[in-house]
Structures are given as structure tokens and as C-alpha cells.
Amino acid sequence: MFHSEDTRFLEKNEALGSTDINAYTEFIGSEKVERLKNMAGALMNKEWAHVNSTFSGGGVAEMLRSVVPIAKGLGINTKWYCIEGEEEFYSITKRFHNIIQGVDQKFTLEDLFETYIKTNRDNFANMVIDEDFTIVHDPQPCASIVHGNYNSKTVWRCHIDTSDANEMIWNFLLPYINNYDGVVFSMPEFVKGGIKKPVYQITPAIDPLTTKNRQREEKEAYESLNDLFVEHEIDPERPIVLAVSRYDIHKNQKTIIKAFKQLKNSAAIKKLKPQLIIVGNSATDDPEGMEMYKEILFEIDGDTDIYPLLNIPNNNENIGALMKVARVFMHISTKEGFGLVVTEALWQGTPVIGSNVGGIVLQVIPSKTGYLVEPFDIERIVGFLKHLLTNKEEQEKMGMQGIEHVRENFLITGLVAKYIKLMRFLLGTDFPYFKI
Ligand code: UDP
């Protein structure tokens, strides 16, 4: 547990409550639910902590909002702690994040030592983390392993693709990473060299019980969307092509707009009158979001069939409903960790045109759950859009296959099971007879 003057952490955790694992029986069956209970049984009364840099916005926070209550419901005392920094810290860690994903951006030694290290040190100065098992998420709090006081088995969970990381930054991070007891990546391809600790693969997942991911009927989805559609003058009768993501350089929204504009001009499509809805938000740790939003508006250039929406009201209900009513979901990032939005769209029964990068390739199975393209291959994107918009039967069949693909591989219960396995392994729970 953290020992600190600052009670902010504890307040947040108490607000999260716990979830009864039996509620997932309808999605994964009673056998898997019982197995999960048995696995967690060995960890009863153990303490588990998560450390990251934001309570809301982005995939990590989204997953922790489910993982923490499920683990609590399974009897593992689980906490979620969030580091806090000045605006400068978020601006730097955003660039840090980009550089680790291979984008060339300016970075100074002052950024590293006077802001990044200082924020990590300040956040952890008066704290001892003595939960049994701690997962530190992403680069923002990575250095806390050295500047904090962890008495736990601690792993670094990296949600991004580090394979093209800038050498200098990677070399700066490596000594920190190598202080952990292990490292978790979403895919083996994301791992850059130099890690001397065991590396585990765990893919992200979605929670079917959340407002966003509950499966709804189409009629109900349209009803939920009524206010949003009225406000933005979106016509519910016209087919919807949807893209949802943070406004971020890697999400490549400009290519989606270019492809959609080209699609509109094709004769086969004109009478269908499709519309493109682009939904984006800006996370509290993402100061570049507004800048990117402005660039998107510039690219749209007044096209009235394209609706760029920013921080929509009633976010979770509306995102889930939009994913349900969309005919096609687009996610053609140039770099992607996993792309939870793809999972969410598939779970609502919507096929995805996704780029051939990162975790998207685990989710978009060509001709089965959607189509894969190179991120800037506008011709092929337009071709697949045309195909899906004009073949309702195939679109629906792929939608059903997408749901099953997610059920098998990317539901939150599977993610918790993998974390529990790792926790049992690192705490020695699985090897009782070897204990001295
Ligand atoms: N999201 C949202 N509203 C938005 C944009 C995104 O709720 O306007 C959510 C989205 O549904 C998903 C998460 O933010 O759950 C984004 O996760 P993903 O893994 O796709 O990308 P990341 O932001 O972590 O790079």
C-alpha cells in the first residue's frame, strides 16, 4: 500500500467497487468462470497494484476500470494508483511516447532529467509500495521502479510498439526496464532489443458489461444516438462509415478522410449516400490532441458528408451505439499498440477495415472479420469500403464472425486470467513444493 500524505489515490480506488465474476457467465460460460475463480483462489488476500498516468482517456485506463473491480470481486485486494505531473510532464511523456513508437521528435536532456525523472521521483518520494504484485503501465511511470520504493514483484506492462524506438531514448529507458521482475508486451514484434528480463505476451481486451461494450439492438442504438444525430444533423437513414480514436498523429485519420472523399465520387456508391463519422477525444495526458483535430478539420475542408466529432457527450453509450449502427469501422493507424477500438467495433458486429500494423492484425482476419490494408493504400481502402457498403449480407456475416473472434480471444475475463497466471507464477503460488 502507498503510505502518503496524499489521499487522492485511495479516494479514487474506493469509487471503483468490485464486480461479481458470475456476471460474465452469459459471455464465456460457467466452466470458464469457475476456472477463473479457482485460479484466483490461490491469491485470496494477496494485494495487487496498478500504476499508470491517467484515470481516464485511452485504452489503458479503459481496461483498468474493469480489471480492478473484477480482481476485487475475485477476492484479490486490488488498487489503482495514478501518477500526477505538471502540464510539462504530459507534454514530454507524449513526445516520449511518440519517439518510442519511432517518430522523430525533439527531446532534450532537461526534458528527461528535470521533468520526467523529477516527476517520477516526486510522485513516489514519500511512498512505499508494498502490494504483493504491481503492474506499472507504459513509459510515463516506468522510472518509478528506481525512484520509488517497491516491495512487490513488479512488472512493466508496455502497451506500445517499441520496435522502432529511438536508440538514445531506448537506452535511457532500458536500465529502468531491466530493474523490473518481468516485462509484458501485447505482441512479441513490439519488443526492442536489450531487455534482460523475462518478456510475457498478454493482449488487451474489452469488458462486455460496460456501457460501451454491452451488446445492443440496432433500434435501441439509434434511439440512444437521437440527440447526437439531431445536434450534428446526421441522417440515420444513410449508411455510416465510422472511425473512433484519439486525435493523434498515428491514428492516420487524414487518410480515412481522403479515402472517403474518393469513395463518394464512385458511381456505384453515389446513390447510397454514405456518411463518415469521425469521433475523437483528447486524453488528459495528450496535449497534442487539439492540434491534430484542427488538422483534421483542414483536411475535411467543409465536406458536409464528414462529421468530425470531438469529446462527444454521453461518450460510452454513444460510442457503443455508433459502433453498432455503423456499416463499416475504419482503423488504419500507422502505428498501433493493440487498437481496442477495433475490438469494440467487432464486438458490436461491425466489420473493420484495419491497417496491417500492431495488434490490428490479430483482430482483423481478412475476409472473415474485415480487411487489412497498408496504412496509406487509399485505392484498396476505397475498394473494401465499396465492397462492404454494397454487400449487406457479407457485411453482416463478417459482423457475426467478428463477435465470435472477440469472444474467443479478447474479452476482459481472459485478460484477467492471464494476469492472474503471471501473478501466481511470480509470487511462487504455483510452485508450493519448491518453497524452502
Ligand atoms: N475512445 C472513447 N471516445 C473517443 C475516442 C476513443 O471512448 O472519442 C475510447 C475507445 O472507445 C477505446 C479507447 O478510447 O476504448 C482507445 O483505445 P485504443 O486502444 O484504440 O487506442 P489508444 O488511445 O490506447 O491508443
mmCIF file of all heavy atoms in Angstrom, residues 57-60 62-63 97 159-160 204 206 212-213 244-248 251 279-282 309-312 315-316 319 323 331 336-342 344, ligand 1:
data_model
loop_
_atom_site.group_PDB
_atom_site.id
_atom_site.type_symbol
_atom_site.label_atom_id
_atom_site.label_comp_id
_atom_site.label_asym_id
_atom_site.label_seq_id
_atom_site.Cartn_x
_atom_site.Cartn_y
_atom_site.Cartn_z
ATOM 1 N N GLY A 57 -9.437 8.252 -20.388
ATOM 2 C CA GLY A 57 -8.899 8.543 -21.711
ATOM 3 C C GLY A 57 -7.879 7.495 -22.117
ATOM 4 O O GLY A 57 -6.936 7.207 -21.375
ATOM 5 N N GLY A 58 -8.110 6.887 -23.282
ATOM 6 C CA GLY A 58 -7.145 5.899 -23.781
ATOM 7 C C GLY A 58 -7.436 4.498 -23.266
ATOM 8 O O GLY A 58 -8.200 4.292 -22.317
ATOM 9 N N GLY A 59 -6.810 3.539 -23.954
ATOM 10 C CA GLY A 59 -7.113 2.134 -23.716
ATOM 11 C C GLY A 59 -6.689 1.599 -22.354
ATOM 12 O O GLY A 59 -7.364 0.739 -21.794
ATOM 13 N N VAL A 60 -5.578 2.113 -21.826
ATOM 14 C CA VAL A 60 -5.071 1.563 -20.562
ATOM 15 C C VAL A 60 -6.074 1.834 -19.437
ATOM 16 O O VAL A 60 -6.458 0.936 -18.689
ATOM 17 C CB VAL A 60 -3.688 2.161 -20.222
ATOM 18 C CG1 VAL A 60 -3.204 1.647 -18.884
ATOM 19 C CG2 VAL A 60 -2.688 1.817 -21.311
ATOM 20 N N GLU A 62 -9.167 2.543 -19.733
ATOM 21 C CA GLU A 62 -10.399 1.817 -20.063
ATOM 22 C C GLU A 62 -10.344 0.376 -19.495
ATOM 23 O O GLU A 62 -11.280 -0.104 -18.877
ATOM 24 C CB GLU A 62 -10.509 1.777 -21.592
ATOM 25 C CG GLU A 62 -11.782 1.207 -22.136
ATOM 26 C CD GLU A 62 -12.860 2.265 -22.310
ATOM 27 O OE1 GLU A 62 -12.583 3.464 -22.142
ATOM 28 O OE2 GLU A 62 -13.993 1.867 -22.573
ATOM 29 N N MET A 63 -9.210 -0.278 -19.696
ATOM 30 C CA MET A 63 -9.096 -1.667 -19.221
ATOM 31 C C MET A 63 -9.001 -1.735 -17.699
ATOM 32 O O MET A 63 -9.608 -2.600 -17.076
ATOM 33 C CB MET A 63 -7.869 -2.335 -19.848
ATOM 34 C CG MET A 63 -8.131 -2.779 -21.262
ATOM 35 S SD MET A 63 -6.742 -3.665 -21.938
ATOM 36 C CE MET A 63 -5.611 -2.350 -22.292
ATOM 37 N N HIS A 97 6.470 9.052 -25.777
ATOM 38 C CA HIS A 97 5.603 8.018 -26.312
ATOM 39 C C HIS A 97 5.784 7.925 -27.843
ATOM 40 O O HIS A 97 5.968 6.852 -28.402
ATOM 41 C CB HIS A 97 4.166 8.445 -25.970
ATOM 42 C CG HIS A 97 3.126 7.401 -26.144
ATOM 43 N ND1 HIS A 97 2.714 6.593 -25.112
ATOM 44 C CD2 HIS A 97 2.382 7.039 -27.202
ATOM 45 C CE1 HIS A 97 1.773 5.790 -25.537
ATOM 46 N NE2 HIS A 97 1.550 6.032 -26.804
ATOM 47 N N HIS A 159 2.294 -0.994 -23.413
ATOM 48 C CA HIS A 159 1.159 -1.159 -24.321
ATOM 49 C C HIS A 159 1.475 -0.707 -25.738
ATOM 50 O O HIS A 159 0.621 -0.767 -26.607
ATOM 51 C CB HIS A 159 -0.043 -0.361 -23.802
ATOM 52 C CG HIS A 159 -0.595 -0.888 -22.498
ATOM 53 N ND1 HIS A 159 -1.641 -1.775 -22.443
ATOM 54 C CD2 HIS A 159 -0.217 -0.669 -21.225
ATOM 55 C CE1 HIS A 159 -1.888 -2.070 -21.177
ATOM 56 N NE2 HIS A 159 -1.043 -1.423 -20.411
ATOM 57 N N ILE A 160 2.700 -0.198 -25.940
ATOM 58 C CA ILE A 160 3.005 0.318 -27.287
ATOM 59 C C ILE A 160 4.089 -0.508 -27.978
ATOM 60 O O ILE A 160 4.750 -1.336 -27.362
ATOM 61 C CB ILE A 160 3.408 1.810 -27.250
ATOM 62 C CG1 ILE A 160 4.578 2.036 -26.295
ATOM 63 C CG2 ILE A 160 2.214 2.672 -26.869
ATOM 64 C CD1 ILE A 160 5.042 3.480 -26.234
ATOM 65 N N PRO A 204 -4.496 -7.011 -24.936
ATOM 66 C CA PRO A 204 -5.566 -6.281 -24.241
ATOM 67 C C PRO A 204 -6.934 -6.906 -24.522
ATOM 68 O O PRO A 204 -7.058 -7.884 -25.273
ATOM 69 C CB PRO A 204 -5.481 -4.885 -24.835
ATOM 70 C CG PRO A 204 -4.120 -4.800 -25.431
ATOM 71 C CD PRO A 204 -3.822 -6.191 -25.905
ATOM 72 N N ILE A 206 -11.605 -6.258 -23.957
ATOM 73 C CA ILE A 206 -12.721 -5.362 -23.607
ATOM 74 C C ILE A 206 -13.675 -6.050 -22.631
ATOM 75 O O ILE A 206 -13.751 -7.279 -22.564
ATOM 76 C CB ILE A 206 -13.515 -4.914 -24.848
ATOM 77 C CG1 ILE A 206 -14.076 -6.119 -25.620
ATOM 78 C CG2 ILE A 206 -12.667 -4.025 -25.735
ATOM 79 C CD1 ILE A 206 -15.165 -5.757 -26.595
ATOM 80 N N LYS A 212 -20.321 0.942 -22.812
ATOM 81 C CA LYS A 212 -19.867 0.992 -24.200
ATOM 82 C C LYS A 212 -19.997 -0.361 -24.885
ATOM 83 O O LYS A 212 -20.463 -0.459 -26.016
ATOM 84 C CB LYS A 212 -18.400 1.445 -24.230
ATOM 85 C CG LYS A 212 -17.867 1.677 -25.620
ATOM 86 C CD LYS A 212 -16.389 2.017 -25.603
ATOM 87 C CE LYS A 212 -16.153 3.369 -24.984
ATOM 88 N NZ LYS A 212 -14.720 3.680 -24.838
ATOM 89 N N ASN A 213 -19.601 -1.408 -24.187
ATOM 90 C CA ASN A 213 -19.482 -2.711 -24.858
ATOM 91 C C ASN A 213 -20.651 -3.661 -24.645
ATOM 92 O O ASN A 213 -20.602 -4.804 -25.078
ATOM 93 C CB ASN A 213 -18.182 -3.388 -24.432
ATOM 94 C CG ASN A 213 -16.980 -2.609 -24.916
ATOM 95 O OD1 ASN A 213 -16.937 -2.183 -26.060
ATOM 96 N ND2 ASN A 213 -16.033 -2.386 -24.036
ATOM 97 N N VAL A 244 -13.177 5.818 -34.813
ATOM 98 C CA VAL A 244 -13.110 6.337 -33.441
ATOM 99 C C VAL A 244 -11.681 6.182 -32.939
ATOM 100 O O VAL A 244 -11.108 5.087 -33.031
ATOM 101 C CB VAL A 244 -14.044 5.546 -32.491
ATOM 102 C CG1 VAL A 244 -13.903 6.050 -31.053
ATOM 103 C CG2 VAL A 244 -15.494 5.612 -32.940
ATOM 104 N N SER A 245 -11.109 7.262 -32.449
ATOM 105 C CA SER A 245 -9.781 7.156 -31.831
ATOM 106 C C SER A 245 -9.434 8.495 -31.205
ATOM 107 O O SER A 245 -10.137 9.476 -31.395
ATOM 108 C CB SER A 245 -8.707 6.795 -32.861
ATOM 109 O OG SER A 245 -8.579 7.824 -33.804
ATOM 110 N N ARG A 246 -8.335 8.529 -30.463
ATOM 111 C CA ARG A 246 -7.825 9.820 -30.037
ATOM 112 C C ARG A 246 -7.426 10.594 -31.284
ATOM 113 O O ARG A 246 -7.094 10.005 -32.308
ATOM 114 C CB ARG A 246 -6.579 9.630 -29.151
ATOM 115 C CG ARG A 246 -6.871 9.235 -27.749
ATOM 116 C CD ARG A 246 -5.606 9.067 -26.930
ATOM 117 N NE ARG A 246 -4.802 7.938 -27.381
ATOM 118 C CZ ARG A 246 -3.611 8.034 -27.940
ATOM 119 N NH1 ARG A 246 -3.049 9.210 -28.138
ATOM 120 N NH2 ARG A 246 -2.949 6.952 -28.313
ATOM 121 N N TYR A 247 -7.442 11.920 -31.202
ATOM 122 C CA TYR A 247 -6.867 12.707 -32.288
ATOM 123 C C TYR A 247 -5.359 12.695 -32.084
ATOM 124 O O TYR A 247 -4.821 13.341 -31.201
ATOM 125 C CB TYR A 247 -7.448 14.130 -32.287
ATOM 126 C CG TYR A 247 -8.842 14.146 -32.876
ATOM 127 C CD1 TYR A 247 -9.959 14.357 -32.087
ATOM 128 C CD2 TYR A 247 -9.037 13.878 -34.231
ATOM 129 C CE1 TYR A 247 -11.237 14.331 -32.630
ATOM 130 C CE2 TYR A 247 -10.303 13.843 -34.785
ATOM 131 C CZ TYR A 247 -11.395 14.072 -33.980
ATOM 132 O OH TYR A 247 -12.645 14.029 -34.525
ATOM 133 N N ASP A 248 -4.701 11.883 -32.900
ATOM 134 C CA ASP A 248 -3.288 11.578 -32.688
ATOM 135 C C ASP A 248 -2.660 11.274 -34.037
ATOM 136 O O ASP A 248 -3.298 10.669 -34.900
ATOM 137 C CB ASP A 248 -3.218 10.336 -31.780
ATOM 138 C CG ASP A 248 -1.818 9.854 -31.546
ATOM 139 O OD1 ASP A 248 -1.226 9.210 -32.442
ATOM 140 O OD2 ASP A 248 -1.299 10.094 -30.447
ATOM 141 N N LYS A 251 -2.908 7.813 -35.616
ATOM 142 C CA LYS A 251 -4.222 7.242 -35.931
ATOM 143 C C LYS A 251 -4.597 7.486 -37.397
ATOM 144 O O LYS A 251 -5.575 6.931 -37.888
ATOM 145 C CB LYS A 251 -5.294 7.786 -34.986
ATOM 146 C CG LYS A 251 -5.012 7.528 -33.494
ATOM 147 C CD LYS A 251 -5.011 6.041 -33.140
ATOM 148 C CE LYS A 251 -4.735 5.849 -31.642
ATOM 149 N NZ LYS A 251 -4.659 4.454 -31.241
ATOM 150 N N VAL A 279 -14.995 10.143 -34.729
ATOM 151 C CA VAL A 279 -15.123 10.554 -33.332
ATOM 152 C C VAL A 279 -13.752 10.501 -32.683
ATOM 153 O O VAL A 279 -13.011 9.533 -32.861
ATOM 154 C CB VAL A 279 -16.071 9.614 -32.550
ATOM 155 C CG1 VAL A 279 -16.312 10.175 -31.151
ATOM 156 C CG2 VAL A 279 -17.384 9.449 -33.281
ATOM 157 N N GLY A 280 -13.445 11.541 -31.947
ATOM 158 C CA GLY A 280 -12.144 11.544 -31.278
ATOM 159 C C GLY A 280 -12.234 12.226 -29.937
ATOM 160 O O GLY A 280 -13.125 13.035 -29.683
ATOM 161 N N ASN A 281 -11.324 11.853 -29.091
ATOM 162 C CA ASN A 281 -11.242 12.576 -27.824
ATOM 163 C C ASN A 281 -9.796 12.961 -27.590
ATOM 164 O O ASN A 281 -8.899 12.566 -28.317
ATOM 165 C CB ASN A 281 -11.809 11.751 -26.673
ATOM 166 C CG ASN A 281 -11.082 10.443 -26.486
ATOM 167 O OD1 ASN A 281 -10.130 10.132 -27.199
ATOM 168 N ND2 ASN A 281 -11.532 9.667 -25.536
ATOM 169 N N SER A 282 -9.620 13.742 -26.577
ATOM 170 C CA SER A 282 -8.285 14.173 -26.241
ATOM 171 C C SER A 282 -8.071 13.798 -24.787
ATOM 172 O O SER A 282 -8.774 14.298 -23.912
ATOM 173 C CB SER A 282 -8.212 15.677 -26.463
ATOM 174 O OG SER A 282 -6.902 16.090 -26.480
ATOM 175 N N LEU A 309 -16.271 14.706 -34.822
ATOM 176 C CA LEU A 309 -16.842 14.995 -33.508
ATOM 177 C C LEU A 309 -15.739 14.912 -32.456
ATOM 178 O O LEU A 309 -14.900 14.018 -32.488
ATOM 179 C CB LEU A 309 -17.959 14.005 -33.171
ATOM 180 C CG LEU A 309 -19.045 13.801 -34.244
ATOM 181 C CD1 LEU A 309 -20.115 12.825 -33.741
ATOM 182 C CD2 LEU A 309 -19.698 15.113 -34.641
ATOM 183 N N LEU A 310 -15.783 15.854 -31.529
ATOM 184 C CA LEU A 310 -14.737 15.912 -30.508
ATOM 185 C C LEU A 310 -15.368 15.771 -29.127
ATOM 186 O O LEU A 310 -16.323 16.482 -28.797
ATOM 187 C CB LEU A 310 -13.993 17.257 -30.609
ATOM 188 C CG LEU A 310 -12.918 17.529 -29.577
ATOM 189 C CD1 LEU A 310 -11.730 16.595 -29.747
ATOM 190 C CD2 LEU A 310 -12.453 18.984 -29.680
ATOM 191 N N ASN A 311 -14.820 14.861 -28.323
ATOM 192 C CA ASN A 311 -15.316 14.650 -26.950
ATOM 193 C C ASN A 311 -16.849 14.630 -26.892
ATOM 194 O O ASN A 311 -17.470 15.507 -26.294
ATOM 195 C CB ASN A 311 -14.764 15.730 -26.002
ATOM 196 C CG ASN A 311 -13.249 15.629 -25.874
ATOM 197 O OD1 ASN A 311 -12.669 14.553 -26.025
ATOM 198 N ND2 ASN A 311 -12.603 16.743 -25.625
ATOM 199 N N ILE A 312 -17.451 13.658 -27.506
ATOM 200 C CA ILE A 312 -18.921 13.629 -27.599
ATOM 201 C C ILE A 312 -19.552 13.422 -26.217
ATOM 202 O O ILE A 312 -18.967 12.776 -25.349
ATOM 203 C CB ILE A 312 -19.426 12.528 -28.574
ATOM 204 C CG1 ILE A 312 -18.927 11.142 -28.176
ATOM 205 C CG2 ILE A 312 -19.093 12.851 -29.990
ATOM 206 C CD1 ILE A 312 -19.545 10.025 -28.996
ATOM 207 N N ASN A 315 -20.361 9.770 -23.759
ATOM 208 C CA ASN A 315 -19.351 9.100 -24.593
ATOM 209 C C ASN A 315 -19.549 7.590 -24.728
ATOM 210 O O ASN A 315 -19.659 7.061 -25.837
ATOM 211 C CB ASN A 315 -17.962 9.403 -24.034
ATOM 212 C CG ASN A 315 -16.854 8.710 -24.798
ATOM 213 O OD1 ASN A 315 -16.446 9.144 -25.861
ATOM 214 N ND2 ASN A 315 -16.371 7.607 -24.261
ATOM 215 N N ASN A 316 -19.631 6.893 -23.610
ATOM 216 C CA ASN A 316 -19.598 5.429 -23.691
ATOM 217 C C ASN A 316 -20.829 4.855 -24.386
ATOM 218 O O ASN A 316 -20.726 3.969 -25.236
ATOM 219 C CB ASN A 316 -19.431 4.833 -22.297
ATOM 220 C CG ASN A 316 -18.065 5.155 -21.734
ATOM 221 O OD1 ASN A 316 -17.157 5.512 -22.483
ATOM 222 N ND2 ASN A 316 -17.909 5.059 -20.428
ATOM 223 N N ILE A 319 -20.587 5.877 -28.143
ATOM 224 C CA ILE A 319 -19.560 5.152 -28.915
ATOM 225 C C ILE A 319 -20.061 3.731 -29.209
ATOM 226 O O ILE A 319 -19.994 3.254 -30.346
ATOM 227 C CB ILE A 319 -18.222 5.078 -28.140
ATOM 228 C CG1 ILE A 319 -17.621 6.472 -27.950
ATOM 229 C CG2 ILE A 319 -17.238 4.131 -28.814
ATOM 230 C CD1 ILE A 319 -16.874 7.047 -29.091
ATOM 231 N N MET A 323 -20.905 2.246 -32.917
ATOM 232 C CA MET A 323 -20.244 1.049 -33.448
ATOM 233 C C MET A 323 -21.275 0.009 -33.876
ATOM 234 O O MET A 323 -21.039 -0.774 -34.790
ATOM 235 C CB MET A 323 -19.288 0.479 -32.411
ATOM 236 C CG MET A 323 -18.041 1.338 -32.300
ATOM 237 S SD MET A 323 -16.983 0.807 -30.982
ATOM 238 C CE MET A 323 -15.474 1.734 -31.354
ATOM 239 N N HIS A 331 -9.981 1.643 -39.114
ATOM 240 C CA HIS A 331 -8.901 1.939 -38.172
ATOM 241 C C HIS A 331 -7.579 1.646 -38.855
ATOM 242 O O HIS A 331 -7.081 0.526 -38.827
ATOM 243 C CB HIS A 331 -9.064 1.106 -36.900
ATOM 244 C CG HIS A 331 -8.286 1.657 -35.752
ATOM 245 N ND1 HIS A 331 -8.510 2.902 -35.224
ATOM 246 C CD2 HIS A 331 -7.261 1.139 -35.036
ATOM 247 C CE1 HIS A 331 -7.666 3.128 -34.230
ATOM 248 N NE2 HIS A 331 -6.895 2.081 -34.104
ATOM 249 N N GLU A 336 0.284 1.136 -34.046
ATOM 250 C CA GLU A 336 -0.790 0.854 -33.100
ATOM 251 C C GLU A 336 -0.283 -0.104 -32.047
ATOM 252 O O GLU A 336 0.475 -1.022 -32.361
ATOM 253 C CB GLU A 336 -1.981 0.249 -33.857
ATOM 254 C CG GLU A 336 -3.247 0.103 -33.055
ATOM 255 C CD GLU A 336 -3.748 1.418 -32.469
ATOM 256 O OE1 GLU A 336 -4.277 2.251 -33.225
ATOM 257 O OE2 GLU A 336 -3.587 1.598 -31.259
ATOM 258 N N GLY A 337 -0.672 0.123 -30.823
ATOM 259 C CA GLY A 337 -0.378 -0.858 -29.789
ATOM 260 C C GLY A 337 -1.261 -2.055 -30.088
ATOM 261 O O GLY A 337 -0.860 -3.010 -30.748
ATOM 262 N N PHE A 338 -2.486 -1.962 -29.679
ATOM 263 C CA PHE A 338 -3.411 -3.056 -29.943
ATOM 264 C C PHE A 338 -4.605 -2.561 -30.762
ATOM 265 O O PHE A 338 -5.003 -3.183 -31.740
ATOM 266 C CB PHE A 338 -3.888 -3.651 -28.613
ATOM 267 C CG PHE A 338 -4.795 -4.828 -28.784
ATOM 268 C CD1 PHE A 338 -4.321 -6.018 -29.301
ATOM 269 C CD2 PHE A 338 -6.133 -4.736 -28.447
ATOM 270 C CE1 PHE A 338 -5.161 -7.113 -29.472
ATOM 271 C CE2 PHE A 338 -6.980 -5.820 -28.603
ATOM 272 C CZ PHE A 338 -6.485 -7.015 -29.118
ATOM 273 N N GLY A 339 -5.148 -1.417 -30.356
ATOM 274 C CA GLY A 339 -6.329 -0.900 -31.048
ATOM 275 C C GLY A 339 -7.601 -1.460 -30.448
ATOM 276 O O GLY A 339 -8.319 -2.244 -31.078
ATOM 277 N N LEU A 340 -7.870 -1.040 -29.225
ATOM 278 C CA LEU A 340 -9.089 -1.536 -28.561
ATOM 279 C C LEU A 340 -10.343 -1.158 -29.335
ATOM 280 O O LEU A 340 -11.351 -1.863 -29.274
ATOM 281 C CB LEU A 340 -9.192 -0.931 -27.151
ATOM 282 C CG LEU A 340 -8.510 -1.674 -26.025
ATOM 283 C CD1 LEU A 340 -8.709 -0.924 -24.717
ATOM 284 C CD2 LEU A 340 -9.074 -3.099 -25.894
ATOM 285 N N VAL A 341 -10.284 -0.036 -30.046
ATOM 286 C CA VAL A 341 -11.479 0.367 -30.805
ATOM 287 C C VAL A 341 -11.881 -0.715 -31.807
ATOM 288 O O VAL A 341 -13.066 -0.894 -32.083
ATOM 289 C CB VAL A 341 -11.297 1.713 -31.543
ATOM 290 C CG1 VAL A 341 -11.373 2.883 -30.585
ATOM 291 C CG2 VAL A 341 -10.056 1.739 -32.378
ATOM 292 N N VAL A 342 -10.892 -1.408 -32.333
ATOM 293 C CA VAL A 342 -11.200 -2.483 -33.295
ATOM 294 C C VAL A 342 -11.976 -3.595 -32.582
ATOM 295 O O VAL A 342 -13.000 -4.083 -33.073
ATOM 296 C CB VAL A 342 -9.896 -3.031 -33.934
ATOM 297 C CG1 VAL A 342 -10.189 -4.254 -34.791
ATOM 298 C CG2 VAL A 342 -9.210 -1.957 -34.748
ATOM 299 N N GLU A 344 -13.774 -3.305 -29.948
ATOM 300 C CA GLU A 344 -15.104 -2.787 -29.599
ATOM 301 C C GLU A 344 -16.045 -2.828 -30.803
ATOM 302 O O GLU A 344 -17.213 -3.220 -30.682
ATOM 303 C CB GLU A 344 -14.970 -1.344 -29.077
ATOM 304 C CG GLU A 344 -14.253 -1.258 -27.741
ATOM 305 C CD GLU A 344 -13.725 0.131 -27.408
ATOM 306 O OE1 GLU A 344 -13.855 1.062 -28.245
ATOM 307 O OE2 GLU A 344 -13.166 0.297 -26.315
HETATM 308 N N1 UDP B 1 -12.468 6.393 -27.007
HETATM 309 C C1 UDP B 1 -13.613 6.950 -26.483
HETATM 310 N N2 UDP B 1 -14.071 8.100 -27.038
HETATM 311 C C2 UDP B 1 -13.453 8.705 -28.062
HETATM 312 C C3 UDP B 1 -12.292 8.110 -28.605
HETATM 313 C C4 UDP B 1 -11.819 6.937 -28.050
HETATM 314 O O1 UDP B 1 -14.211 6.424 -25.560
HETATM 315 O O2 UDP B 1 -13.900 9.778 -28.505
HETATM 316 C C5 UDP B 1 -12.002 5.125 -26.410
HETATM 317 C C6 UDP B 1 -12.173 3.952 -27.329
HETATM 318 O O3 UDP B 1 -13.507 3.513 -27.330
HETATM 319 C C7 UDP B 1 -11.168 2.959 -26.731
HETATM 320 C C8 UDP B 1 -10.055 3.855 -26.232
HETATM 321 O O4 UDP B 1 -10.621 5.170 -26.120
HETATM 322 O O5 UDP B 1 -11.739 2.256 -25.648
HETATM 323 C C9 UDP B 1 -8.901 3.906 -27.195
HETATM 324 O O6 UDP B 1 -8.143 2.737 -27.073
HETATM 325 P P1 UDP B 1 -7.214 2.226 -28.263
HETATM 326 O O7 UDP B 1 -6.509 1.003 -27.790
HETATM 327 O O8 UDP B 1 -7.990 2.072 -29.509
HETATM 328 O O9 UDP B 1 -6.195 3.406 -28.517
HETATM 329 P P2 UDP B 1 -5.228 4.263 -27.582
HETATM 330 O O10 UDP B 1 -5.961 5.542 -27.314
HETATM 331 O O11 UDP B 1 -4.967 3.492 -26.331
HETATM 332 O O12 UDP B 1 -4.033 4.474 -28.432
#
